[in-house]
C-alpha cells in the first residue's frame, strides 16, 4: 500500500520529470513562432497546456507536484506534446500513479520525415537512439549489419545491453574491447542529467548484475562525451566492414540522435546489400 510520504515523493519526481522534458522541447519543434526573447529554455507551461489541450492551471499544478489525478487521455496528450519516447512514456504513467499503457513499439518521437530518411538512406545502416542507448528506430541496413534486431525483446533493445550481454553483437564488433569502455564512459556522462530517474538506475543495476565488465568499470567513474567516429565490423556473410559515423541530433537540446553508418572504403561499399521494396 502506498503511503502518504511515498505519494508525495512520487508527485515531486513527476514534477521534476515534466519540467525537464518541457525544457528540452523548442518552440520550433512543435511549430510555434518565436516572439521575443525567452527567459527560460524550452516551452512555457501555457504552451504545453495549449498543445496538450488541458487547462493551464491544471498543468501548472501537475508540475508543482500537487495532489491531483490525471486521466490516461490527459497523460497520453502530455506524452505526445513532450515527445516522450516509449521508456519515458511508461515512466510518466508510473509517476502519475496511472495504469501503465501497453508498450507502443512505434516511438512517439519518430516522425514520418525521420522514417522516410531511414528508408531512403538504405543500404547504409541507420539507427535512432536516446541518451539511455535505447533503440527507437532502425532501418534494414542496420538489421543486416547487427542481426535480427526485430527478434530482440522490446525491453532489451538497448545498444549498451546488447553490446555487453549479446555474444552475437560482440562477435560482430571487431574493436569491442577497445570501444566498450568508451561506450560505458559516454553513458555515465549522459547519466549526469538523469541520476534520479528510475529507468536509468534500473539499467545500471541490471548491467552491474549481469555484466562483469560493466561492474568492474562503472566504479571508475570514467566519463567521455566524444563519440566514436569509425568502427569495424565482422559480418558473418561478407567479412570485414568499416564505417564512418555521422550523428544527427533531433533538436538543439534533444537527446535523440540519428546515427548514420557510411562506408569508410570502397570494399565496404561494394559489400552492402541491395534492398527491393
Amino acid at each position: 500500500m502506498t503511503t502518504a510520504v511515498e505519494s508525495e515523493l512520487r508527485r515531486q519526481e513527476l514534477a521534476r520529470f515534466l519540467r525537464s522534458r518541457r525544457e528540452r522541447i523548442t518552440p520550433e519543434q512543435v511549430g510555434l513562432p518565436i516572439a521575443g526573447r525567452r527567459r527560460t529554455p524550452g516551452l512555457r507551461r501555457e504552451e504545453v497546456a495549449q498543445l496538450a489541450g488541458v487547462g493551464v492551471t491544471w498543468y501548472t499544478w501537475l508540475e508543482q507536484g500537487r495532489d491531483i489525478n490525471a486521466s490516461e487521455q490527459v497523460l497520453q496528450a502530455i506524452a505526445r506534446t513532450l515527445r516522450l519516447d516509449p521508456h519515458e512514456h511508461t515512466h510518466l504513467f508510473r509517476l502519475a500513479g496511472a495504469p501503465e499503457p501497453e508498450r507502443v513499439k512505434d516511438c512517439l518521437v519518430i516522425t514520418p520525415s525521420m522514417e522516410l530518411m531511414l528508408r531512403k538512406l538504405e543500404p547504409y545502416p541507420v539507427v535512432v537512439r536516446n541518451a539511455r542507448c535505447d533503440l527507437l528506430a532502425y532501418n534494414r541496413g542496420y538489421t543486416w549489419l547487427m542481426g535480427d534486431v526485430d527478434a530482440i525483446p522490446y525491453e532489451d533493445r538497448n545498444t549498451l545491453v546488447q553490446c555487453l550481454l549479446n555474444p552475437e553483437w560482440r562477435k560482430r564488433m571487431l574493436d569491442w574491447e577497445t570501444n566498450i569502455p568508451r561506450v560505458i564512459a559516454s553513458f555515465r556522462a549522459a547519466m549526469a542529467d538523469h541520476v534520479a530517474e528510475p529507468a536509468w538506475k534500473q539499467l545500471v543495476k541490471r548491467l552491474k548484475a549481469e555484466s562483469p565488465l560493466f561492474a568492474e568499470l562503472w566504479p571508475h567513474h570514467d566519463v567521455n562525451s566524444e563519440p566514436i567516429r569509425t568502427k569495424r565490423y565482422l559480418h558473418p556473410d561478407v567479412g570485414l566492414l568499416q564505417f564512418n559515423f555521422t550523428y544527427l541530433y533531433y533538436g538543439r537540446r534533444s537527446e535523440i540522435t540519428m546515427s548514420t553508418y557510411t562506408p569508410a572504403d570502397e570494399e565496404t561499399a561494394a559489400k552492402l546489400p541491395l534492398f527491393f521494396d
Side-chain angles (χ1 to χ4, degrees):
M1 189 172 193
T2 303
T3 66
V5 174
E6 290 173 339
S7 296
E8 174 65 19
L9 290 173
R10 180 171 47 78
R11 289 196 301 271
Q12 292 304 319
E13 181 62 25
L14 172 62
R16 289 189 290 269
F17 179 69
L18 288 174
R19 286 195 295 271
S20 71
R21 293 307 178 265
R22 171 171 59 83
E23 290 173 355
R24 76 178 183 182
I25 303 293
T26 65
E28 302 99 311
Q29 286 178 288
V30 293
L32 293 177
I34 300 178
R37 185 176 180 181
R38 302 174 74 92
R39 293 179 298 175
T40 57
L43 298 177
R44 301 186 178 100
R45 286 174 176 171
E46 57 268 26
E47 291 170 337
V48 173
Q50 177 185 355
L51 291 167
V54 302
V56 176
T57 300
W58 187 91
Y59 180 78
T60 299
W61 286 349
L62 201 61
E63 272 205 15
Q64 291 175 342
R66 298 204 188 186
D67 188 7
I68 57 175
N69 294 321
S71 68
E72 179 180 345
Q73 182 179 3
V74 167
L75 292 173
Q76 294 282 19
I78 292 174
R80 286 193 298 269
T81 300
L82 297 179
R83 304 196 173 189
L84 303 184
D85 67 38
H87 300 275
E88 295 169 329
H89 190 266
T90 300
H91 186 55
L92 171 67
F93 272 69
R94 286 176 178 170
L95 291 177
E100 291 185 29
E102 291 187 10
R103 190 176 293 274
V104 180
K105 295 187 178 181
D106 295 329
C107 178
L108 295 173
V109 301
I110 305 301
T111 65
S113 296
M114 295 174 74
E115 292 176 348
L116 180 61
M117 290 177 65
L118 287 168
R119 292 196 304 270
K120 291 298 183 181
L121 286 170
E122 292 174 347
Y124 295 168
V126 183
V127 61
V128 180
R129 289 171 290 202
N130 58 18
R132 189 175 168 269
C133 302
D134 297 312
L135 289 165
L136 306 182
Y138 46 87
N139 65 3
R140 289 178 294 180
Y142 187 78
T143 294
W144 173 81
L145 178 65
M146 301 309 301
D148 189 2
V149 182
D150 291 336
I152 299 173
Y154 184 68
E155 60 273 15
D156 291 339
R157 291 184 194 174
N158 176 286
T159 53
L160 196 55
V161 169
Q162 294 305 311
C163 287
L164 287 166
L165 305 181
N166 187 338
E168 178 64 27
W169 277 44
R170 180 169 180 171
K171 284 192 300 183
R172 294 183 182 228
M173 304 172 71
L174 283 180
D175 301 309
W176 185 90
E177 292 184 357
T178 302
N179 288 336
I180 198 64
R182 295 181 59 186
V183 173
I184 294 173
S186 178
F187 174 75
R188 181 177 274 284
M191 192 171 178
D193 294 325
H194 304 273
V195 290
E197 295 181 24
W200 287 68
K201 292 190 289 186
Q202 184 178 8
L203 178 58
V204 171
K205 181 179 179 180
R206 175 188 179 182
L207 293 175
K208 288 170 70 175
E210 299 182 26
S211 169
L213 179 60
F214 186 90
E216 175 189 345
L217 295 179
W218 189 250
H220 294 176
H221 290 268
D222 292 335
V223 293
N224 187 341
S225 58
E226 180 63 27
I228 301 171
R229 298 295 180 182
T230 303
K231 292 183 183 179
R232 300 189 306 155
Y233 294 86
L234 185 62
H235 194 278
D237 296 328
V238 300
L240 176 65
L241 299 167
Q242 299 188 82
F243 291 99
N244 295 324
F245 278 65
T246 301
Y247 300 91
L248 304 176
Y249 287 84
Y250 188 59
R252 285 183 297 176
R253 280 183 290 273
S254 176
E255 295 183 327
I256 306 299
T257 60
M258 176 181 287
S259 302
T260 303
Y261 301 49
T262 53
D265 51 44
E266 293 182 2
E267 290 79 5
T268 297
K271 294 175 180 177
L272 295 180
L274 294 176
F275 295 111
F276 300 95
D277 293 323

